[in-house]
Amino acid sequence: MIFHYPNGKPYQPKAQVEQKKQKTLTYSNRGMILEDDLNETNKYYLENNLAVIHKKPTPVQIVNVDYPRRSAAVIKEAYFKQSSTTDYNGIYRGKYIDFEAKETKNKTSFPLQNFHEHQIVHMENVLHQGGICFVILSAFNEIYFLEAQHLLTFWKRQEAGGRKSFTYNELIEIGYKIPLGYQARIDYLKIIDKLYF
Amino acid sequence: MIFHYPNGKPYQPKAQVEQKKQKTLTYSNRGMILEDDLNETNKYYLENNLAVIHKKPTPVQIVNVDYPRRSAAVIKEAYFKQSSTTDYNGIYRGKYIDFEAKETKNKTSFPLQNFHEHQIVHMENVLHQGGICFVILSAFNEIYFLEAQHLLTFWKRQEAGGRKSFTYNELIEIGYKIPLGYQARIDYLKIIDKLYF
């Protein structure tokens, strides 16, 4: 038997509602919130003295600044610049951490055009110096951790005339799924603990 | 005897001119070129596979963007934001590097108001994670390398009601002079080699 509220809506036990909410907490229709979740995660890491990892500011070429008062300069003309590095870096347990976050709506593969040549070269340089470098991917309704060396392999395959993406099957074989957490939304340090310590 | 050119200017042997140029190559009247020299230095390090260290972009709060064509978005209104970290970070020989660069025109002391509370807290966090953290100072006609722990000591002295700066004598006692170089203008990795390897 189903109970109805005065407004005609059927009654649902609270537990059931919670469960439903839980279920929709995937990355299927979440759009651009990957960055927000990573910022929240990094904030949690910082506040709990676990790691010091920040997103770099968006690089902007400032052309014209108005100074009505010195304390409130207004940028009147500026342009987005292409970054020469990845977006996130910092330190964890003495080690240099460096990563890029990207998402795709594609259902079967992850297009390499999400990455710029500059970023790929940067990742190579970081690996050369002994840093921990990876990408966090929002794809196929999940979040994945993929070590940079694998991304570089896919990139080189493309340069050699191969496919311009890597497939879902390739990703699940060498990537690591990051389960969505509560305090640390995208708890990538857990993967790093497993792989590098 | 002094020779004169037809325009009346006295002749100077070339060597003497070079020497004069050399002499003015101090940081006395060089204004805001500390940042340029550090960027050049980091570029040299990067191109020679010595280190991967970048200046972070200036943080900007973007309020209004005009999209006349998608390829040329114009930022029409934006504001400078205070950074929550230091300006430079990266990796060198497997170690996390983090620093801030500041200058003063003061002749006898370096004012602590050049640093923000945020940056001080960030430096503490980096040291806690085992990173190499320091400041590069343009002061008293020289460039100095000062380890963050010493800056933190000066900062705490100020918080305890002490002086709002550290003196020239204090700096030369615990800081390291960085001689101006040719290829790497401000070759701070040499100091790091000595202190941490």
Side-chain angles (χ1 to χ4, degrees), chain A residues 49-50 54 57 73 75-79 85 89-91 93-94 96 129 131, chain B residues 49-50 54 57 73 75-80 85 89-91 93-94 96 129 131:
Chain A
N49 289 316
L50 296 171
H54 289 273
I75 299 164
K76 287 290 195 185
E77 185 186 355
Y79 298 89
T85 67
N89 77 353
I91 182 170
R93 293 173 66 183
Y96 176 77
Q129 286 293 328
Chain B
N49 289 315
L50 296 171
H54 289 273
I75 299 164
K76 287 290 194 184
E77 184 186 356
Y79 298 89
F80 294 104
T85 67
N89 77 353
I91 181 169
R93 293 173 66 183
Y96 177 76
Q129 287 292 328

PDB file of all heavy atoms in Angstrom, chain A residues 49-50 54 57 73 75-79 85 89-91 93-94 96 129 131, chain B residues 49-50 54 57 73 75-80 85 89-91 93-94 96 129 131:
ATOM      1  N   ASN A  49      46.465  18.306   6.902  1.00  0.00           N
ATOM      2  CA  ASN A  49      47.924  18.126   6.824  1.00  0.00           C
ATOM      3  C   ASN A  49      48.344  16.852   6.111  1.00  0.00           C
ATOM      4  O   ASN A  49      49.336  16.231   6.476  1.00  0.00           O
ATOM      5  CB  ASN A  49      48.539  18.134   8.231  1.00  0.00           C
ATOM      6  CG  ASN A  49      48.509  19.517   8.834  1.00  0.00           C
ATOM      7  OD1 ASN A  49      48.825  20.495   8.156  1.00  0.00           O
ATOM      8  ND2 ASN A  49      48.115  19.619  10.090  1.00  0.00           N
ATOM      9  N   LEU A  50      47.556  16.445   5.114  1.00  0.00           N
ATOM     10  CA  LEU A  50      47.892  15.223   4.381  1.00  0.00           C
ATOM     11  C   LEU A  50      48.774  15.529   3.176  1.00  0.00           C
ATOM     12  O   LEU A  50      49.673  14.764   2.846  1.00  0.00           O
ATOM     13  CB  LEU A  50      46.609  14.520   3.929  1.00  0.00           C
ATOM     14  CG  LEU A  50      45.705  14.023   5.056  1.00  0.00           C
ATOM     15  CD1 LEU A  50      44.368  13.535   4.518  1.00  0.00           C
ATOM     16  CD2 LEU A  50      46.400  12.900   5.828  1.00  0.00           C
ATOM     17  N   HIS A  54      47.679  22.214  -5.031  1.00  0.00           N
ATOM     18  CA  HIS A  54      46.802  23.297  -5.463  1.00  0.00           C
ATOM     19  C   HIS A  54      46.588  23.263  -6.971  1.00  0.00           C
ATOM     20  O   HIS A  54      47.454  22.816  -7.717  1.00  0.00           O
ATOM     21  CB  HIS A  54      47.427  24.653  -5.109  1.00  0.00           C
ATOM     22  CG  HIS A  54      47.426  24.965  -3.651  1.00  0.00           C
ATOM     23  ND1 HIS A  54      46.366  25.571  -3.014  1.00  0.00           N
ATOM     24  CD2 HIS A  54      48.350  24.743  -2.684  1.00  0.00           C
ATOM     25  CE1 HIS A  54      46.652  25.720  -1.733  1.00  0.00           C
ATOM     26  NE2 HIS A  54      47.844  25.224  -1.499  1.00  0.00           N
ATOM     27  N   PRO A  57      46.358  28.874 -11.059  1.00  0.00           N
ATOM     28  CA  PRO A  57      45.399  29.810 -11.646  1.00  0.00           C
ATOM     29  C   PRO A  57      45.374  29.690 -13.167  1.00  0.00           C
ATOM     30  O   PRO A  57      46.367  29.282 -13.778  1.00  0.00           O
ATOM     31  CB  PRO A  57      45.948  31.178 -11.234  1.00  0.00           C
ATOM     32  CG  PRO A  57      46.852  30.921 -10.077  1.00  0.00           C
ATOM     33  CD  PRO A  57      47.408  29.546 -10.292  1.00  0.00           C
ATOM     34  N   ALA A  73      41.995  47.705  -8.610  1.00  0.00           N
ATOM     35  CA  ALA A  73      42.342  47.716 -10.023  1.00  0.00           C
ATOM     36  C   ALA A  73      41.396  46.808 -10.795  1.00  0.00           C
ATOM     37  O   ALA A  73      41.108  45.698 -10.369  1.00  0.00           O
ATOM     38  CB  ALA A  73      43.773  47.245 -10.199  1.00  0.00           C
ATOM     39  N   ILE A  75      40.757  44.850 -14.327  1.00  0.00           N
ATOM     40  CA  ILE A  75      41.322  44.403 -15.598  1.00  0.00           C
ATOM     41  C   ILE A  75      40.245  44.580 -16.658  1.00  0.00           C
ATOM     42  O   ILE A  75      39.169  44.002 -16.557  1.00  0.00           O
ATOM     43  CB  ILE A  75      41.785  42.932 -15.500  1.00  0.00           C
ATOM     44  CG1 ILE A  75      42.862  42.805 -14.421  1.00  0.00           C
ATOM     45  CG2 ILE A  75      42.282  42.447 -16.850  1.00  0.00           C
ATOM     46  CD1 ILE A  75      43.116  41.384 -13.961  1.00  0.00           C
ATOM     47  N   LYS A  76      40.536  45.418 -17.658  1.00  0.00           N
ATOM     48  CA  LYS A  76      39.531  45.782 -18.657  1.00  0.00           C
ATOM     49  C   LYS A  76      39.681  44.984 -19.946  1.00  0.00           C
ATOM     50  O   LYS A  76      38.757  44.895 -20.754  1.00  0.00           O
ATOM     51  CB  LYS A  76      39.668  47.284 -18.999  1.00  0.00           C
ATOM     52  CG  LYS A  76      39.171  48.213 -17.907  1.00  0.00           C
ATOM     53  CD  LYS A  76      37.661  48.128 -17.794  1.00  0.00           C
ATOM     54  CE  LYS A  76      37.115  49.288 -16.982  1.00  0.00           C
ATOM     55  NZ  LYS A  76      35.658  49.139 -16.782  1.00  0.00           N
ATOM     56  N   GLU A  77      40.881  44.453 -20.162  1.00  0.00           N
ATOM     57  CA  GLU A  77      41.100  43.655 -21.368  1.00  0.00           C
ATOM     58  C   GLU A  77      42.165  42.603 -21.075  1.00  0.00           C
ATOM     59  O   GLU A  77      43.271  42.924 -20.642  1.00  0.00           O
ATOM     60  CB  GLU A  77      41.558  44.532 -22.533  1.00  0.00           C
ATOM     61  CG  GLU A  77      41.689  43.752 -23.834  1.00  0.00           C
ATOM     62  CD  GLU A  77      42.280  44.590 -24.970  1.00  0.00           C
ATOM     63  OE1 GLU A  77      42.507  45.803 -24.770  1.00  0.00           O
ATOM     64  OE2 GLU A  77      42.544  44.009 -26.041  1.00  0.00           O
ATOM     65  N   ALA A  78      41.805  41.360 -21.298  1.00  0.00           N
ATOM     66  CA  ALA A  78      42.741  40.267 -21.068  1.00  0.00           C
ATOM     67  C   ALA A  78      42.319  39.083 -21.928  1.00  0.00           C
ATOM     68  O   ALA A  78      41.183  39.021 -22.406  1.00  0.00           O
ATOM     69  CB  ALA A  78      42.756  39.887 -19.589  1.00  0.00           C
ATOM     70  N   TYR A  79      43.263  38.167 -22.146  1.00  0.00           N
ATOM     71  CA  TYR A  79      42.987  37.014 -22.995  1.00  0.00           C
ATOM     72  C   TYR A  79      43.463  35.737 -22.320  1.00  0.00           C
ATOM     73  O   TYR A  79      44.445  35.755 -21.590  1.00  0.00           O
ATOM     74  CB  TYR A  79      43.693  37.175 -24.342  1.00  0.00           C
ATOM     75  CG  TYR A  79      43.206  38.387 -25.084  1.00  0.00           C
ATOM     76  CD1 TYR A  79      43.804  39.630 -24.906  1.00  0.00           C
ATOM     77  CD2 TYR A  79      42.112  38.300 -25.939  1.00  0.00           C
ATOM     78  CE1 TYR A  79      43.335  40.765 -25.563  1.00  0.00           C
ATOM     79  CE2 TYR A  79      41.630  39.417 -26.609  1.00  0.00           C
ATOM     80  CZ  TYR A  79      42.242  40.647 -26.417  1.00  0.00           C
ATOM     81  OH  TYR A  79      41.770  41.761 -27.059  1.00  0.00           O
ATOM     82  N   THR A  85      51.975  23.988 -18.557  1.00  0.00           N
ATOM     83  CA  THR A  85      52.121  22.874 -17.619  1.00  0.00           C
ATOM     84  C   THR A  85      50.758  22.213 -17.424  1.00  0.00           C
ATOM     85  O   THR A  85      49.773  22.589 -18.049  1.00  0.00           O
ATOM     86  CB  THR A  85      52.617  23.359 -16.244  1.00  0.00           C
ATOM     87  OG1 THR A  85      51.596  24.155 -15.641  1.00  0.00           O
ATOM     88  CG2 THR A  85      53.881  24.189 -16.366  1.00  0.00           C
ATOM     89  N   ASN A  89      49.605  20.772  -9.032  1.00  0.00           N
ATOM     90  CA  ASN A  89      50.847  20.202  -8.523  1.00  0.00           C
ATOM     91  C   ASN A  89      51.026  20.532  -7.044  1.00  0.00           C
ATOM     92  O   ASN A  89      50.286  21.328  -6.478  1.00  0.00           O
ATOM     93  CB  ASN A  89      52.060  20.621  -9.369  1.00  0.00           C
ATOM     94  CG  ASN A  89      52.513  22.032  -9.108  1.00  0.00           C
ATOM     95  OD1 ASN A  89      51.880  22.807  -8.396  1.00  0.00           O
ATOM     96  ND2 ASN A  89      53.628  22.400  -9.703  1.00  0.00           N
ATOM     97  N   GLY A  90      52.002  19.846  -6.449  1.00  0.00           N
ATOM     98  CA  GLY A  90      52.229  20.052  -5.030  1.00  0.00           C
ATOM     99  C   GLY A  90      53.098  18.956  -4.454  1.00  0.00           C
ATOM    100  O   GLY A  90      53.878  18.317  -5.179  1.00  0.00           O
ATOM    101  N   ILE A  91      52.956  18.745  -3.157  1.00  0.00           N
ATOM    102  CA  ILE A  91      53.826  17.796  -2.468  1.00  0.00           C
ATOM    103  C   ILE A  91      53.019  16.887  -1.548  1.00  0.00           C
ATOM    104  O   ILE A  91      52.064  17.328  -0.890  1.00  0.00           O
ATOM    105  CB  ILE A  91      54.939  18.536  -1.675  1.00  0.00           C
ATOM    106  CG1 ILE A  91      55.877  17.542  -0.990  1.00  0.00           C
ATOM    107  CG2 ILE A  91      54.348  19.529  -0.682  1.00  0.00           C
ATOM    108  CD1 ILE A  91      57.120  18.175  -0.394  1.00  0.00           C
ATOM    109  N   ARG A  93      53.967  13.655   1.209  1.00  0.00           N
ATOM    110  CA  ARG A  93      54.933  12.780   1.871  1.00  0.00           C
ATOM    111  C   ARG A  93      56.322  12.907   1.234  1.00  0.00           C
ATOM    112  O   ARG A  93      56.972  11.906   0.926  1.00  0.00           O
ATOM    113  CB  ARG A  93      54.466  11.325   1.829  1.00  0.00           C
ATOM    114  CG  ARG A  93      53.195  11.085   2.669  1.00  0.00           C
ATOM    115  CD  ARG A  93      52.614   9.701   2.511  1.00  0.00           C
ATOM    116  NE  ARG A  93      53.478   8.647   3.035  1.00  0.00           N
ATOM    117  CZ  ARG A  93      53.195   7.347   2.958  1.00  0.00           C
ATOM    118  NH1 ARG A  93      52.075   6.954   2.373  1.00  0.00           N
ATOM    119  NH2 ARG A  93      54.009   6.454   3.455  1.00  0.00           N
ATOM    120  N   GLY A  94      56.724  14.130   1.000  1.00  0.00           N
ATOM    121  CA  GLY A  94      58.048  14.394   0.470  1.00  0.00           C
ATOM    122  C   GLY A  94      58.174  14.254  -1.034  1.00  0.00           C
ATOM    123  O   GLY A  94      59.208  14.586  -1.602  1.00  0.00           O
ATOM    124  N   TYR A  96      57.061  14.961  -5.087  1.00  0.00           N
ATOM    125  CA  TYR A  96      56.440  15.928  -5.983  1.00  0.00           C
ATOM    126  C   TYR A  96      55.288  15.265  -6.740  1.00  0.00           C
ATOM    127  O   TYR A  96      55.448  14.200  -7.337  1.00  0.00           O
ATOM    128  CB  TYR A  96      57.471  16.462  -6.974  1.00  0.00           C
ATOM    129  CG  TYR A  96      56.876  17.404  -7.989  1.00  0.00           C
ATOM    130  CD1 TYR A  96      56.566  18.716  -7.652  1.00  0.00           C
ATOM    131  CD2 TYR A  96      56.616  16.985  -9.290  1.00  0.00           C
ATOM    132  CE1 TYR A  96      56.021  19.584  -8.577  1.00  0.00           C
ATOM    133  CE2 TYR A  96      56.072  17.850 -10.228  1.00  0.00           C
ATOM    134  CZ  TYR A  96      55.779  19.148  -9.865  1.00  0.00           C
ATOM    135  OH  TYR A  96      55.219  20.005 -10.789  1.00  0.00           O
ATOM    136  N   GLN A 129      62.451  13.959 -13.950  1.00  0.00           N
ATOM    137  CA  GLN A 129      62.991  14.444 -12.668  1.00  0.00           C
ATOM    138  C   GLN A 129      62.585  13.568 -11.490  1.00  0.00           C
ATOM    139  O   GLN A 129      62.910  13.872 -10.342  1.00  0.00           O
ATOM    140  CB  GLN A 129      62.508  15.882 -12.399  1.00  0.00           C
ATOM    141  CG  GLN A 129      63.184  16.953 -13.240  1.00  0.00           C
ATOM    142  CD  GLN A 129      64.662  17.131 -12.916  1.00  0.00           C
ATOM    143  OE1 GLN A 129      65.102  16.947 -11.785  1.00  0.00           O
ATOM    144  NE2 GLN A 129      65.457  17.458 -13.924  1.00  0.00           N
ATOM    145  N   GLY A 131      59.316  12.757 -10.574  1.00  0.00           N
ATOM    146  CA  GLY A 131      58.054  13.131  -9.936  1.00  0.00           C
ATOM    147  C   GLY A 131      56.970  12.092 -10.150  1.00  0.00           C
ATOM    148  O   GLY A 131      57.096  11.217 -11.011  1.00  0.00           O
TER     149      GLY A 131
ATOM    150  N   ASN B  49      67.172  20.225 -19.060  1.00  0.00           N
ATOM    151  CA  ASN B  49      66.740  19.070 -18.259  1.00  0.00           C
ATOM    152  C   ASN B  49      67.319  19.047 -16.853  1.00  0.00           C
ATOM    153  O   ASN B  49      67.595  17.982 -16.308  1.00  0.00           O
ATOM    154  CB  ASN B  49      67.119  17.760 -18.969  1.00  0.00           C
ATOM    155  CG  ASN B  49      66.265  17.528 -20.187  1.00  0.00           C
ATOM    156  OD1 ASN B  49      65.051  17.705 -20.136  1.00  0.00           O
ATOM    157  ND2 ASN B  49      66.881  17.139 -21.288  1.00  0.00           N
ATOM    158  N   LEU B  50      67.499  20.229 -16.270  1.00  0.00           N
ATOM    159  CA  LEU B  50      68.054  20.296 -14.918  1.00  0.00           C
ATOM    160  C   LEU B  50      66.951  20.300 -13.868  1.00  0.00           C
ATOM    161  O   LEU B  50      67.098  19.721 -12.798  1.00  0.00           O
ATOM    162  CB  LEU B  50      68.917  21.555 -14.770  1.00  0.00           C
ATOM    163  CG  LEU B  50      70.150  21.602 -15.668  1.00  0.00           C
ATOM    164  CD1 LEU B  50      70.809  22.978 -15.604  1.00  0.00           C
ATOM    165  CD2 LEU B  50      71.146  20.527 -15.244  1.00  0.00           C
ATOM    166  N   HIS B  54      58.299  26.339 -12.485  1.00  0.00           N
ATOM    167  CA  HIS B  54      57.557  27.386 -13.193  1.00  0.00           C
ATOM    168  C   HIS B  54      57.003  28.413 -12.212  1.00  0.00           C
ATOM    169  O   HIS B  54      56.725  28.093 -11.064  1.00  0.00           O
ATOM    170  CB  HIS B  54      56.374  26.774 -13.950  1.00  0.00           C
ATOM    171  CG  HIS B  54      56.763  25.959 -15.137  1.00  0.00           C
ATOM    172  ND1 HIS B  54      56.947  26.502 -16.379  1.00  0.00           N
ATOM    173  CD2 HIS B  54      56.989  24.630 -15.267  1.00  0.00           C
ATOM    174  CE1 HIS B  54      57.282  25.533 -17.226  1.00  0.00           C
ATOM    175  NE2 HIS B  54      57.315  24.389 -16.576  1.00  0.00           N
ATOM    176  N   PRO B  57      50.730  31.328 -12.715  1.00  0.00           N
ATOM    177  CA  PRO B  57      50.072  32.516 -13.266  1.00  0.00           C
ATOM    178  C   PRO B  57      49.505  33.394 -12.146  1.00  0.00           C
ATOM    179  O   PRO B  57      49.197  32.904 -11.067  1.00  0.00           O
ATOM    180  CB  PRO B  57      48.920  31.923 -14.093  1.00  0.00           C
ATOM    181  CG  PRO B  57      49.307  30.504 -14.353  1.00  0.00           C
ATOM    182  CD  PRO B  57      50.118  30.079 -13.167  1.00  0.00           C
ATOM    183  N   ALA B  73      38.123  34.762 -27.179  1.00  0.00           N
ATOM    184  CA  ALA B  73      37.359  35.291 -26.052  1.00  0.00           C
ATOM    185  C   ALA B  73      38.118  36.447 -25.414  1.00  0.00           C
ATOM    186  O   ALA B  73      39.317  36.354 -25.199  1.00  0.00           O
ATOM    187  CB  ALA B  73      37.117  34.195 -25.028  1.00  0.00           C
ATOM    188  N   ILE B  75      38.403  38.859 -22.119  1.00  0.00           N
ATOM    189  CA  ILE B  75      37.997  39.098 -20.742  1.00  0.00           C
ATOM    190  C   ILE B  75      37.802  40.597 -20.580  1.00  0.00           C
ATOM    191  O   ILE B  75      38.733  41.377 -20.795  1.00  0.00           O
ATOM    192  CB  ILE B  75      39.059  38.561 -19.760  1.00  0.00           C
ATOM    193  CG1 ILE B  75      39.214  37.051 -19.953  1.00  0.00           C
ATOM    194  CG2 ILE B  75      38.672  38.888 -18.323  1.00  0.00           C
ATOM    195  CD1 ILE B  75      40.480  36.484 -19.338  1.00  0.00           C
ATOM    196  N   LYS B  76      36.568  40.997 -20.231  1.00  0.00           N
ATOM    197  CA  LYS B  76      36.213  42.420 -20.190  1.00  0.00           C
ATOM    198  C   LYS B  76      36.246  42.986 -18.774  1.00  0.00           C
ATOM    199  O   LYS B  76      36.314  44.193 -18.582  1.00  0.00           O
ATOM    200  CB  LYS B  76      34.796  42.607 -20.760  1.00  0.00           C
ATOM    201  CG  LYS B  76      34.714  42.453 -22.273  1.00  0.00           C
ATOM    202  CD  LYS B  76      35.401  43.616 -22.954  1.00  0.00           C
ATOM    203  CE  LYS B  76      35.037  43.676 -24.427  1.00  0.00           C
ATOM    204  NZ  LYS B  76      35.798  44.756 -25.088  1.00  0.00           N
ATOM    205  N   GLU B  77      36.109  42.085 -17.810  1.00  0.00           N
ATOM    206  CA  GLU B  77      36.156  42.544 -16.419  1.00  0.00           C
ATOM    207  C   GLU B  77      36.743  41.439 -15.545  1.00  0.00           C
ATOM    208  O   GLU B  77      36.260  40.303 -15.543  1.00  0.00           O
ATOM    209  CB  GLU B  77      34.759  42.920 -15.915  1.00  0.00           C
ATOM    210  CG  GLU B  77      34.776  43.497 -14.500  1.00  0.00           C
ATOM    211  CD  GLU B  77      33.372  43.738 -13.946  1.00  0.00           C
ATOM    212  OE1 GLU B  77      32.397  43.527 -14.686  1.00  0.00           O
ATOM    213  OE2 GLU B  77      33.281  44.110 -12.753  1.00  0.00           O
ATOM    214  N   ALA B  78      37.795  41.779 -14.840  1.00  0.00           N
ATOM    215  CA  ALA B  78      38.425  40.808 -13.954  1.00  0.00           C
ATOM    216  C   ALA B  78      39.173  41.554 -12.864  1.00  0.00           C
ATOM    217  O   ALA B  78      39.452  42.751 -12.997  1.00  0.00           O
ATOM    218  CB  ALA B  78      39.380  39.913 -14.743  1.00  0.00           C
ATOM    219  N   TYR B  79      39.472  40.857 -11.779  1.00  0.00           N
ATOM    220  CA  TYR B  79      40.144  41.493 -10.648  1.00  0.00           C
ATOM    221  C   TYR B  79      41.305  40.632 -10.169  1.00  0.00           C
ATOM    222  O   TYR B  79      41.246  39.404 -10.263  1.00  0.00           O
ATOM    223  CB  TYR B  79      39.149  41.706  -9.495  1.00  0.00           C
ATOM    224  CG  TYR B  79      38.020  42.625  -9.889  1.00  0.00           C
ATOM    225  CD1 TYR B  79      36.863  42.110 -10.472  1.00  0.00           C
ATOM    226  CD2 TYR B  79      38.130  43.991  -9.720  1.00  0.00           C
ATOM    227  CE1 TYR B  79      35.832  42.953 -10.870  1.00  0.00           C
ATOM    228  CE2 TYR B  79      37.104  44.844 -10.110  1.00  0.00           C
ATOM    229  CZ  TYR B  79      35.963  44.325 -10.687  1.00  0.00           C
ATOM    230  OH  TYR B  79      34.965  45.162 -11.086  1.00  0.00           O
ATOM    231  N   PHE B  80      42.327  41.274  -9.670  1.00  0.00           N
ATOM    232  CA  PHE B  80      43.443  40.539  -9.092  1.00  0.00           C
ATOM    233  C   PHE B  80      43.011  39.900  -7.783  1.00  0.00           C
ATOM    234  O   PHE B  80      42.331  40.543  -6.969  1.00  0.00           O
ATOM    235  CB  PHE B  80      44.637  41.471  -8.852  1.00  0.00           C
ATOM    236  CG  PHE B  80      45.229  41.998 -10.124  1.00  0.00           C
ATOM    237  CD1 PHE B  80      44.994  43.302 -10.539  1.00  0.00           C
ATOM    238  CD2 PHE B  80      46.016  41.180 -10.918  1.00  0.00           C
ATOM    239  CE1 PHE B  80      45.537  43.782 -11.723  1.00  0.00           C
ATOM    240  CE2 PHE B  80      46.564  41.658 -12.106  1.00  0.00           C
ATOM    241  CZ  PHE B  80      46.321  42.958 -12.508  1.00  0.00           C
ATOM    242  N   THR B  85      49.302  30.700  -2.271  1.00  0.00           N
ATOM    243  CA  THR B  85      50.570  29.967  -2.212  1.00  0.00           C
ATOM    244  C   THR B  85      51.710  30.918  -2.565  1.00  0.00           C
ATOM    245  O   THR B  85      51.501  32.107  -2.773  1.00  0.00           O
ATOM    246  CB  THR B  85      50.594  28.806  -3.219  1.00  0.00           C
ATOM    247  OG1 THR B  85      50.596  29.346  -4.545  1.00  0.00           O
ATOM    248  CG2 THR B  85      49.379  27.906  -3.054  1.00  0.00           C
ATOM    249  N   ASN B  89      56.981  26.965  -8.051  1.00  0.00           N
ATOM    250  CA  ASN B  89      57.212  25.622  -7.535  1.00  0.00           C
ATOM    251  C   ASN B  89      57.539  24.653  -8.662  1.00  0.00           C
ATOM    252  O   ASN B  89      57.436  24.995  -9.841  1.00  0.00           O
ATOM    253  CB  ASN B  89      56.046  25.142  -6.660  1.00  0.00           C
ATOM    254  CG  ASN B  89      54.838  24.716  -7.458  1.00  0.00           C
ATOM    255  OD1 ASN B  89      54.778  24.873  -8.680  1.00  0.00           O
ATOM    256  ND2 ASN B  89      53.859  24.189  -6.755  1.00  0.00           N
ATOM    257  N   GLY B  90      57.993  23.456  -8.263  1.00  0.00           N
ATOM    258  CA  GLY B  90      58.362  22.471  -9.262  1.00  0.00           C
ATOM    259  C   GLY B  90      59.178  21.356  -8.650  1.00  0.00           C
ATOM    260  O   GLY B  90      59.111  21.113  -7.438  1.00  0.00           O
ATOM    261  N   ILE B  91      59.962  20.714  -9.499  1.00  0.00           N
ATOM    262  CA  ILE B  91      60.721  19.550  -9.046  1.00  0.00           C
ATOM    263  C   ILE B  91      62.167  19.623  -9.513  1.00  0.00           C
ATOM    264  O   ILE B  91      62.453  20.064 -10.636  1.00  0.00           O
ATOM    265  CB  ILE B  91      60.055  18.240  -9.536  1.00  0.00           C
ATOM    266  CG1 ILE B  91      60.822  17.011  -9.047  1.00  0.00           C
ATOM    267  CG2 ILE B  91      59.893  18.228 -11.050  1.00  0.00           C
ATOM    268  CD1 ILE B  91      60.082  15.707  -9.267  1.00  0.00           C
ATOM    269  N   ARG B  93      65.685  17.053  -9.155  1.00  0.00           N
ATOM    270  CA  ARG B  93      66.316  15.817  -8.696  1.00  0.00           C
ATOM    271  C   ARG B  93      65.418  15.060  -7.712  1.00  0.00           C
ATOM    272  O   ARG B  93      65.859  14.637  -6.647  1.00  0.00           O
ATOM    273  CB  ARG B  93      67.672  16.120  -8.057  1.00  0.00           C
ATOM    274  CG  ARG B  93      68.685  16.644  -9.083  1.00  0.00           C
ATOM    275  CD  ARG B  93      69.974  17.112  -8.440  1.00  0.00           C
ATOM    276  NE  ARG B  93      70.749  16.049  -7.813  1.00  0.00           N
ATOM    277  CZ  ARG B  93      71.879  16.239  -7.142  1.00  0.00           C
ATOM    278  NH1 ARG B  93      72.370  17.465  -7.022  1.00  0.00           N
ATOM    279  NH2 ARG B  93      72.509  15.238  -6.603  1.00  0.00           N
ATOM    280  N   GLY B  94      64.145  14.948  -8.089  1.00  0.00           N
ATOM    281  CA  GLY B  94      63.201  14.181  -7.285  1.00  0.00           C
ATOM    282  C   GLY B  94      62.612  14.932  -6.110  1.00  0.00           C
ATOM    283  O   GLY B  94      61.714  14.426  -5.442  1.00  0.00           O
ATOM    284  N   TYR B  96      60.690  18.215  -4.197  1.00  0.00           N
ATOM    285  CA  TYR B  96      59.740  19.302  -4.397  1.00  0.00           C
ATOM    286  C   TYR B  96      60.379  20.638  -3.990  1.00  0.00           C
ATOM    287  O   TYR B  96      60.929  20.773  -2.899  1.00  0.00           O
ATOM    288  CB  TYR B  96      58.482  19.063  -3.560  1.00  0.00           C
ATOM    289  CG  TYR B  96      57.479  20.196  -3.653  1.00  0.00           C
ATOM    290  CD1 TYR B  96      56.691  20.343  -4.784  1.00  0.00           C
ATOM    291  CD2 TYR B  96      57.342  21.120  -2.627  1.00  0.00           C
ATOM    292  CE1 TYR B  96      55.770  21.374  -4.886  1.00  0.00           C
ATOM    293  CE2 TYR B  96      56.428  22.162  -2.717  1.00  0.00           C
ATOM    294  CZ  TYR B  96      55.654  22.279  -3.857  1.00  0.00           C
ATOM    295  OH  TYR B  96      54.756  23.313  -3.951  1.00  0.00           O
ATOM    296  N   GLN B 129      55.584  18.816   4.885  1.00  0.00           N
ATOM    297  CA  GLN B 129      55.550  17.683   3.948  1.00  0.00           C
ATOM    298  C   GLN B 129      56.949  17.282   3.470  1.00  0.00           C
ATOM    299  O   GLN B 129      57.089  16.377   2.643  1.00  0.00           O
ATOM    300  CB  GLN B 129      54.673  18.006   2.725  1.00  0.00           C
ATOM    301  CG  GLN B 129      53.171  18.015   2.996  1.00  0.00           C
ATOM    302  CD  GLN B 129      52.615  16.634   3.323  1.00  0.00           C
ATOM    303  OE1 GLN B 129      53.096  15.620   2.827  1.00  0.00           O
ATOM    304  NE2 GLN B 129      51.603  16.590   4.165  1.00  0.00           N
ATOM    305  N   GLY B 131      59.220  19.365   1.865  1.00  0.00           N
ATOM    306  CA  GLY B 131      59.664  20.044   0.654  1.00  0.00           C
ATOM    307  C   GLY B 131      60.822  20.991   0.919  1.00  0.00           C
ATOM    308  O   GLY B 131      61.111  21.327   2.069  1.00  0.00           O
TER     309      GLY B 131
END
